[in-house]
Every structure is written in structure tokens, then in C-alpha cells.
Amino acid sequence: MKVINVELSVKPGMQKDYEAFIDELVNGSRGEAGNVSYNHFKKLHSDTDYEIIEHWKDADAVEFHNETPHFKKFLAGVGDFLTKDPVIIRMDYNE
């Protein structure tokens, strides 16, 4: 299993627009065959910090995800909402 955590810091005042923007990514990702779970959260104690927690069946599922239109659209537009580059943590769990 592949686990990916992404920490995102959104510009103050852009939270609602960001949340609307990311809905397509979350819903599209959840529908992918190799997706185990895909969740997006606003962090506790912060109005502007968010996290994506992804669980994928295997590396092939992640590679497929990275080529989807909803992921490419996210990559192309997410920078408009952020105060800094996302922090990405990748973990590999063998079952």
C-alpha cells in the first residue's frame, strides 16, 4: 500500500474558493480503481492549513492517478491558492 500525505497552506480569505477547487480532485480520486481512501481535511486550530491523506493499492495506482485529468488540473491551479509549496510525505507499506 502507498500512503501519501500532503500539507497545504492556503492564502487567508481564499479558503472557500480553494475548497470548491479541490472538490473535483477529491471526488475524482475516490472513484479511481486503485484508490483505497482519499480524504481532505482542514487542520484543527487553523483556518488556512489543510491536509490530503491518500491510500493507494500500489505504485501502479499512484502512477495512474498522476495522469488523470482531475490531478493534472489540480497541479496546474493549486499554486494560485497557496502561501508556500505543499509538503508531501510518501510512505510505502508492504502487506
Side-chain angles (χ1 to χ4, degrees):
M1 178 178 298
K2 301 288 185 183
V3 178
I4 303 170
N5 289 4
V6 182
E7 297 176 0
L8 304 135
S9 296
V10 175
K11 295 174 185 172
M14 295 194 75
Q15 296 95 318
K16 288 196 184 299
D17 291 336
Y18 163 78
E19 290 171 7
F21 170 77
I22 202 165
D23 276 347
E24 184 178 344
L25 173 69
V26 172
N27 292 327
S29 300
R30 286 178 177 165
E32 294 175 36
N35 180 258
V36 176
S37 68
Y38 200 98
N39 294 290
H40 177 255
F41 304 96
K42 183 183 277 189
K43 289 190 173 187
L44 296 175
H45 310 295
S46 175
D47 290 333
T48 58
D49 292 327
Y50 293 80
E51 187 164 6
I52 301 170
I53 302 174
E54 313 171 33
H55 292 85
W56 298 96
K57 178 181 167 188
D58 53 29
D60 290 340
V62 175
E63 287 180 34
F64 177 84
H65 169 68
N66 290 344
E67 295 301 319
T68 60
H70 51 267
F71 183 72
K72 289 182 177 184
K73 181 178 179 181
F74 169 78
L75 286 182
V78 72
D80 295 342
F81 299 98
L82 303 181
T83 61
K84 60 183 179 180
D85 289 340
V87 174
I88 303 170
I89 301 165
R90 294 177 179 87
M91 295 164 275
D92 190 6
Y93 293 96
N94 297 321
E95 295 183 41

